[in-house]
Amino acid sequence: MTDYLEEQQNELEALQSIYPEEFEEISDNEFRIAIFPDDQDEDHSCALSLRIKYTPTYPDELPEYSVDVTEGRLTDAQKERVMDALKTGAEESLGMVMIFTMASLAKEELNQILEDSQRSREEADIERRRKEEEIENARFRGTKLTWERFQEWRANFEKELADQESEEKKARAKELKNKLTGRQLFEQDKTLALSDTKYMDEGDVSVDASQYEKEERAQSNDDENDENAVWRQFGSDD
């Protein structure tokens, strides 16, 4: 006949020796063992507590057990992963003391979970840097030039030049149309003819420009008459 109580007491003594700092007694048949990973990351630390309660016929039946996260955090899926590993290991150890095996499995799963999390963070960081570099490089590459894009740019450029030239021609035509000669300005604004009178001294004579025009026309007529007279003389000699 198996003495379950004796087997349980012997196992408790062994566990206290193996885990001097991690073992914590709760009652005569209940205790917990702190589980820490081999490599602890200060920024992503994590620790577990494996809680065990012996059943009357342990180890021929499974103990009552649970896992608590005492430091950091685990997702529900990660915590379930630990529990599944404990269940599998315990069932395979039925008939033998199994708490050391369960504690070892809990630590092994915790190590693996943290390694997977670290690898995921590194991969995410690499992907983030890759995207940042891709965006940065795209700023210098610009848009890829194709024949179609060049033709489109050329058509737009030539249209802009034509529009600009048309506007410049219109502006020059308008400027020439609105620009008057000195004579036209003089004729349109009669005050210009009197603009210098204020600078005349006493005794100066004001000149009437129209008289010069009459004299010029008379002189021109006289010159034409003289030329005609000369030709008439040649004609009379004949």
Side-chain angles (χ1 to χ4, degrees):
M1 183 177 178
T2 303
D3 188 345
Y4 296 111
L5 184 58
E6 183 180 358
E7 285 198 33
Q8 294 169 12
Q9 290 298 322
N10 291 336
E11 184 179 37
L12 284 174
E13 291 178 5
L15 291 173
Q16 289 173 344
S17 177
I18 296 172
Y19 302 106
E21 298 180 359
E22 296 87 350
F23 184 90
E24 179 185 354
E25 185 177 7
I26 299 175
S27 65
D28 292 341
N29 66 342
E30 188 174 2
F31 57 92
R32 64 168 62 95
I33 299 174
I35 308 294
F36 299 99
D38 291 330
D39 298 320
Q40 189 72 285
D41 185 349
E42 294 182 359
D43 295 331
H44 302 89
S45 60
C46 190
L48 304 177
S49 176
L50 173 62
R51 184 165 181 156
I52 301 292
K53 184 177 182 180
Y54 286 140
T55 53
T57 59
Y58 171 85
D60 286 341
E61 66 175 330
L62 297 179
E64 296 178 7
Y65 61 93
S66 62
V67 173
D68 298 318
V69 180
T70 57
E71 186 177 345
R73 63 180 297 274
L74 292 181
T75 65
D76 292 340
Q78 290 169 334
K79 188 173 181 180
E80 184 177 354
R81 173 178 170 177
V82 175
M83 294 298 291
D84 289 343
L86 293 178
K87 181 180 179 181
T88 300
E91 289 176 346
E92 291 176 350
S93 301
L94 272 175
M96 301 178 294
V97 292
M98 62 187 73
I99 306 307
F100 175 76
T101 298
M102 295 177 68
S104 298
L105 287 172
K107 182 174 183 176
E108 182 179 329
E109 287 300 317
L110 180 60
N111 285 334
Q112 191 61 51
I113 288 172
L114 294 180
E115 287 179 10
D116 292 345
S117 298
Q118 176 66 21
R119 183 165 52 253
S120 297
R121 287 192 298 271
E122 290 175 352
E123 290 174 353
D125 189 53
I126 291 173
E127 179 65 14
R128 177 185 57 80
R129 290 199 300 269
R130 185 191 67 78
K131 290 182 178 179
E132 290 177 352
E133 290 176 359
E134 185 176 323
I135 293 173
E136 186 67 17
N137 291 334
R139 292 174 54 191
F140 297 98
R141 286 198 304 266
T143 304
K144 184 177 180 181
L145 182 62
T146 63
W147 176 253
E148 291 76 12
R149 286 199 179 101
F150 173 75
Q151 290 295 91
E152 181 181 356
W153 170 84
R154 182 178 179 180
N156 292 333
F157 179 71
E158 291 178 348
K159 182 177 183 302
E160 290 178 3
L161 287 180
D163 292 343
Q164 182 178 355
E165 185 177 356
S166 177
E167 291 297 325
E168 291 177 352
K169 287 182 178 180
K170 291 179 181 179
R172 287 197 299 269
K174 184 177 180 181
E175 182 180 355
L176 292 174
K177 182 177 179 181
N178 295 332
K179 186 176 181 181
L180 299 177
T181 63
R183 183 186 183 103
Q184 289 173 325
L185 288 172
F186 185 82
E187 292 176 346
Q188 288 186 7
D189 191 354
K190 295 183 178 180
T191 59
L192 292 176
L194 303 176
S195 60
D196 293 336
T197 56
K198 58 183 178 180
Y199 301 106
M200 296 174 61
D201 294 330
E202 184 177 353
D204 290 344
V205 177
S206 177
V207 178
D208 186 353
S210 60
Q211 296 299 323
Y212 281 100
E213 294 178 357
K214 292 179 180 179
E215 292 179 0
E216 289 177 357
R217 288 196 295 271
Q219 182 65 38
S220 177
N221 291 333
D222 291 341
D223 291 340
E224 290 179 358
N225 292 332
D226 291 340
E227 290 178 358
N228 291 333
V230 173
W231 283 106
R232 282 196 298 271
Q233 290 177 3
F234 280 111
S236 61
D237 291 340
D238 292 340

